[in-house]
Amino acid sequence: MQKAASAILALVSLAACSPAYTPPEEAKTIATRHQAKIISYENAIVRAAFRSGSAIAEVEQADCTLNYRGATTRFSAPHRVRIPIHDGPQADLGVECQAEIGPSVVKSARVIAPSLPAHSQDATDQRIYPDEFGVVFR
């Protein structure tokens, strides 16, 4: 619970300091191997940041892998992604990133849980995933 609160606080802190790096305009569609019908897509921005004590700064580039429903998509953060929303139960997004911070290569990972456990094509007005999320290196 404390790690989740810390990650949320870090993302809020990052948003408050107005991110320095602009992701590409074109979103990368996230791959999926799920057989259920795709009923819509949600766009989100993935950012990476480094935290030291109470200071947090966005990382210019982090190599990331997003795992979703048995498929893997690679990109460099910050990046816009397009997440497929399937009819029925939703799945977690697993994000792993690595970046050069000073002389070291550091890695970090997190899981983004859907805000709704299931989604129907009759109710497409609610977001399933946050519109922006970050991976924080320590």
Side-chain angles (χ1 to χ4, degrees), residues 39-43 83 85-86 90 114-131:
I39 56 174
S40 65
Y41 290 89
E42 289 185 353
N43 291 328
I83 306 163
I85 304 300
H86 296 87
Q90 300 305 304
S115 62
L116 298 172
H119 200 59
S120 165
Q121 62 187 27
D122 299 329
T124 58
D125 57 338
Q126 289 184 301
R127 280 195 71 89
I128 304 297
Y129 301 99
D131 60 351

Side-chain angles (χ1 to χ4, degrees), residues 68-125:
Y68 180 67
R69 295 195 183 266
T72 300
T73 304
R74 289 181 169 73
F75 55 89
S76 291
H79 207 92
R80 293 178 200 280
V81 294
R82 192 168 176 240
I83 306 163
I85 304 300
H86 296 87
D87 194 19
Q90 300 305 304
D92 291 347
L93 297 170
V95 184
E96 298 175 14
C97 297
Q98 72 177 32
E100 287 187 34
I101 308 290
S104 304
V105 174
V106 293
K107 295 181 181 183
S108 186
R110 72 177 287 200
V111 173
I112 309 299
S115 62
L116 298 172
H119 200 59
S120 165
Q121 62 187 27
D122 299 329
T124 58
D125 57 338

Side-chain angles (χ1 to χ4, degrees), residues 48-52 55-59 101 106 135-138:
F50 176 71
R51 179 181 207 139
S52 178
I56 187 164
E58 186 172 12
V59 175
I101 308 290
V106 293
V135 174
V136 180
F137 302 100
R138 297 180 196 281

